Amino acid sequence: MTTYTPTANSPALGTVHLPQASPRARAAGGRLTVFDALKAFASQLIVLHHLVAYGPLSEALRLRFPHLVDWLYYDGRLAVQVFFVIGGFLAARALAPSLQARPLSLSSALWKRYRRLALPCTAAVLVSIVCAAIARALIADPSLPAAPHFSQLLAHLLLMHDVVGVEALSAGVWYVAIDFQLYAMMAATVWLTRLARPPRRTRVLALLTSGLALLSLFAINRNPDLDFIAPYFFGVYALGAAACWLSRRDRSPLWGLAIALAVLLALQIEHRERVAVAACVAASLWVGLRSGAFDRWPELRPLAFLGRISFSVFLIHYPVAMLVNAVVSHIWGATPATAIAGLLFAWAASIVAGAVFHRQVEQRFSA
């Protein structure tokens, strides 16, 4: 088993490294395999959500399996909350393990993060543009993105397409932009705490992070018009950071209970399924790490593989789905039978394409 070491620029959908949990887990190889299972399950659920959300085959599949399609369409997208929690966990682990801020060059950290996220995303967007052009030549479907213009490409390269209000060229690129913004918020928060006196830095970091999280959960996250900026999601991102910081057994469990009560109060004011899902994921990580239950989590190679390539699958599955929809609909037509076969093929092809993209593109920017 390969031993991994923590890095500051691992994306939430990429390689996950073991927090400072227990000697037995570190002796087992340094890999927290429960994260692989979470990433594998969540990423595949998002792929299925997009497969039933776009294209003529999705409409044909709805005729045969309306309840399944509705569940994947409305509830499958909640899986992205898993990645927000994991992203917050990893950011806390990389930037300020045990609430102790590491020496940080903010510009360098942000550039590494941008390079790690934006460049593979840009490559996937270029693939999506080519696949969309082929698909438009074969079928007329309103879900297909139009040919891009230069300002649209530039907005995607800068991860600003939602901020400036241009149409996305691929599904899921909104998450990459938000993930970068969230990491920037966390990095800036850690950097600011280093301006305080050393004995107070831990308390200042906890207070700043908590304050931003509460502002998000009780105010910003209640306005859906703000879902294009990071503060809307920072509350759930901070839950992942809290799971990291409070998983040490020398931390009082009362802090975890206080956070749980705050989340319950926020949900009582306005129930939001996405926040509830994120809270459950963060609570499971906190309890599992503190108790040592994850030390005994079995490492299953298929889940480890799917977890490792999850970011690439996330980036590349939409152009694959567009192409399969267009070819199958053009040659055989969109019927329930062709939809079942075509979407199952698109699912498998997305995994294969994700594995190739991971090896040929993502890993080149992971150093």
Side-chain angles (χ1 to χ4, degrees), residues 15-28:
T15 301
V16 174
H17 302 91
L18 180 65
Q20 200 75 13
S22 72
R24 179 167 59 174
R26 292 195 299 274

Side-chain angles (χ1 to χ4, degrees), residues 34 36 75 79 91 100 127 138 140 205 217 239 243 246 249 261 266 275 285 317 320 332 338 352 360:
V34 67
D36 284 330
D75 295 329
Q100 301 294 323
V127 173
L138 296 176
L205 177 57
L217 291 174
L239 291 178
L246 299 180
R249 294 172 187 173
L261 289 175
V275 174
L285 291 177
H317 74 276
V320 171
W332 295 286
T338 60
V352 173
Q360 300 298 326

Side-chain angles (χ1 to χ4, degrees), residues 7-314:
T7 64
N9 43 317
S10 297
L13 287 167
T15 301
V16 174
H17 302 91
L18 180 65
Q20 200 75 13
S22 72
R24 179 167 59 174
R26 292 195 299 274
R31 186 79 182 255
L32 191 57
T33 54
V34 67
F35 277 79
D36 284 330
L38 284 172
K39 291 189 302 167
F41 173 77
S43 64
Q44 294 305 308
L45 197 55
I46 291 171
V47 170
L48 292 174
H49 161 71
H50 285 145
L51 287 178
V52 303
Y54 304 105
L57 296 185
S58 65
E59 293 300 322
L61 186 69
R62 186 184 297 275
L63 299 175
R64 180 70 60 87
F65 303 106
H67 298 297
L68 175 62
V69 169
D70 285 344
W71 183 85
L72 287 172
Y73 182 79
Y74 291 106
D75 295 329
R77 56 188 172 183
L78 293 174
V80 76
Q81 302 304 316
V82 173
F83 298 116
F84 283 130
V85 172
I86 291 176
F89 189 106
L90 290 178
R93 179 67 181 89
L95 296 169
S98 303
L99 276 169
Q100 301 294 323
R102 284 180 169 169
L104 176 68
S105 167
L106 187 58
S107 59
S108 177
L110 294 184
W111 166 245
K112 288 180 180 178
R113 187 67 171 181
Y114 173 84
R115 183 175 182 270
R116 181 67 181 86
L117 292 175
L119 298 187
C121 182
T122 300
V125 166
L126 294 177
V127 173
S128 182
I129 291 171
V130 173
C131 290
I134 297 172
R136 288 194 303 270
L138 296 176
I139 61 172
D141 188 85
S143 68
L144 294 176
H149 47 79
F150 176 76
S151 60
Q152 192 176 13
L153 289 172
L154 181 61
H156 280 72
L157 179 62
L158 298 177
L159 300 179
M160 296 288 288
H161 57 284
D162 280 338
V163 175
V164 300
V166 301
E167 182 184 1
L169 294 171
S170 186
V173 292
W174 70 272
Y175 169 83
V176 180
I178 292 295
D179 184 83
F180 177 75
Q181 294 175 32
L182 287 169
Y183 184 87
M185 282 186 67
M186 182 66 76
T189 302
V190 171
W191 182 82
L192 285 172
T193 61
R194 299 185 68 249
L195 301 178
R197 294 180 180 179
R200 298 181 179 179
R201 287 178 181 174
T202 296
R203 182 177 300 178
V204 170
L205 177 57
L207 289 175
L208 282 178
T209 306
S210 300
L212 290 171
L214 292 174
L215 180 63
S216 174
L217 291 174
F218 284 89
I220 302 174
N221 187 260
R222 297 173 59 194
N223 184 354
D225 292 336
L226 298 176
D227 66 354
F228 64 95
I229 54 174
Y232 181 87
F233 300 95
F234 191 80
V236 296
Y237 195 76
L239 291 178
C244 175
W245 288 329
L246 299 180
S247 61
R248 290 171 55 100
R249 294 172 187 173
D250 58 351
R251 301 285 186 191
S252 172
L254 295 179
W255 288 111
L257 296 177
I259 293 172
L261 289 175
V263 173
L264 289 174
L265 179 58
L267 293 176
Q268 182 65 30
I269 294 174
E270 182 177 346
H271 181 73
R272 287 148 287 173
E273 286 186 334
R274 57 192 180 277
V275 174
V277 169
C280 289
V281 173
S284 298
L285 291 177
W286 175 54
V287 172
L289 290 169
R290 282 187 66 93
S291 66
F294 291 159
D295 297 354
R296 299 180 294 276
W297 191 278
E299 181 171 5
L300 303 175
R301 289 188 176 182
L303 288 181
F305 171 73
L306 291 175
R308 187 166 60 252
I309 67 171
S310 57
F311 184 49
S312 291
V313 172
F314 181 84

